[in-house]
Amino acid sequence: MSLPHPTADQISLPIVLAVLGDPTRLAIVRYLARKEGVPLNCSKFLDLASKTNLSYHLAKLREAGVTRSEAVGTSRLITLRRDDLDKRFPGLLDSVIAAADGDSALPAVGTSEMEVDA
């Protein structure tokens, strides 16, 4: 099953800004940016919200063109659409993520997982 995504040309600045104005969605984007290029299972974000609420937030990010969601079996793999966003709005994503990194009021993602450095 393929999920609908806007093309790069269909990504709208007001919609992207509105979507990123939500603390939960901004925390998801910040985490995806840290894991750049690695598709993440939506279960990585269960620290933020219930499954139902998380589905809502991930759908909003996908519909705005901020993320790409791919169905793989019963899982959804989420990636950040950095190339499309950078082409459409140069510097926007980096500015938003830099501001979010300094915001201690944003919810933390992945606090229940252990990360192992290679």
Side-chain angles (χ1 to χ4, degrees):
M1 178 173 102
S2 180
L3 300 170
H5 296 84
T7 65
D9 291 337
Q10 293 173 324
I11 298 173
S12 163
L13 183 59
I15 293 173
V16 168
L17 292 175
V19 163
L20 293 176
D22 179 86
T24 299
R25 293 191 286 262
L26 186 54
I28 291 169
V29 168
R30 181 176 60 175
Y31 191 75
L32 287 169
R34 287 189 190 140
K35 304 294 184 178
E36 195 86 39
V38 177
L40 296 176
N41 189 300
C42 57
S43 66
K44 289 285 185 191
F45 306 108
L46 287 175
D47 292 350
L48 296 174
S50 67
K51 287 181 183 181
T52 303
N53 195 272
L54 184 58
S55 274
Y56 171 79
H57 288 299
L58 292 173
K60 288 294 185 187
L61 287 165
R62 178 181 49 78
E63 291 165 358
V66 176
T67 61
R68 179 166 302 284
S69 300
E70 297 297 327
V72 179
T74 58
S75 297
R76 307 270 173 156
L77 298 180
I78 315 299
T79 53
L80 189 60
R81 291 181 64 180
R82 179 180 284 280
D83 290 343
D84 289 337
L85 290 166
D86 284 346
K87 183 183 353 173
R88 213 51 193 118
F89 314 111
L92 174 69
L93 194 57
D94 288 333
S95 295
V96 168
I97 292 168
D101 279 341
D103 191 345
S104 60
L106 287 177
V109 179
T111 55
S112 63
E113 69 183 38
M114 282 183 55
E115 299 215 9
V116 179
D117 292 328

